[in-house]
Amino acid sequence: MAVAWSLLFWLLMFVMNLAFIVSSFYQLLCLVDLEGDQMNPFEASASINFWVVKEFLLYMKRQHLIDVTEVFRNLKVEKNLRLFKLGFYVVFFVIVVFNLAIATFEAVSGMDDDLHTF
């Protein structure tokens, strides 16, 4: 029974992590489009602010939102922040996929938790 809960947990983490990766990638694309004049500052700010994950430390100063009037001034910093977040989520995505594969193998093979104790 514990194996089924483990599989469900890692499946949930897989979906959540994939959503974070897609969100970060979309925000990065909006900033790249803004840099290339394919999107106006209002559109880019509205798109990014709609999908941004509220981060508590930045939330108190409202730094998690992109300001339309200052978007070009902070473009390089925002792109670097989004690239770092994307890399962070990709690393955890690999970890989650690995653990999901292990949990799936254990669920399918019917392995007991007692086999893992030494």
Side-chain angles (χ1 to χ4, degrees):
M1 187 66 177
V3 174
W5 285 109
S6 175
L7 178 62
L8 186 61
F9 172 76
W10 288 112
L11 192 60
L12 178 67
M13 291 298 111
F14 175 79
V15 171
M16 284 177 44
N17 204 341
L18 190 60
F20 286 141
I21 289 174
V22 169
S23 173
S24 294
F25 187 72
Y26 178 74
Q27 293 172 28
L28 186 62
L29 279 178
C30 287
L31 291 172
V32 169
D33 285 348
L34 178 67
E35 189 177 43
D37 284 336
Q38 297 173 353
M39 186 180 274
N40 66 38
F42 180 76
E43 270 183 276
S45 299
S47 296
I48 291 171
N49 289 341
F50 180 75
W51 291 106
V52 72
V53 176
K54 306 268 190 274
E55 296 171 283
F56 183 74
L57 294 176
L58 300 173
Y59 183 70
M60 295 172 80
K61 296 180 182 177
R62 299 196 53 85
Q63 292 177 346
H64 64 285
L65 299 175
I66 292 183
D67 187 14
V68 176
T69 59
E70 304 221 355
V71 69
F72 282 111
R73 181 178 300 154
N74 301 328
L75 188 62
K76 186 168 178 79
V77 173
E78 291 294 331
K79 279 178 49 180
N80 288 337
L81 178 67
R82 295 319 191 271
L83 276 172
F84 176 76
K85 284 172 55 174
L86 184 62
F88 181 77
Y89 291 140
V90 167
V91 166
F92 279 104
F93 183 75
V94 169
I95 293 169
V96 167
V97 167
F98 180 73
N99 285 319
L100 179 63
I102 290 173
T104 303
F105 175 73
E106 289 176 353
V108 169
S109 67
M111 296 176 93
D112 274 338
D113 289 335
D114 296 334
L115 293 176
H116 297 296
T117 58
F118 295 173

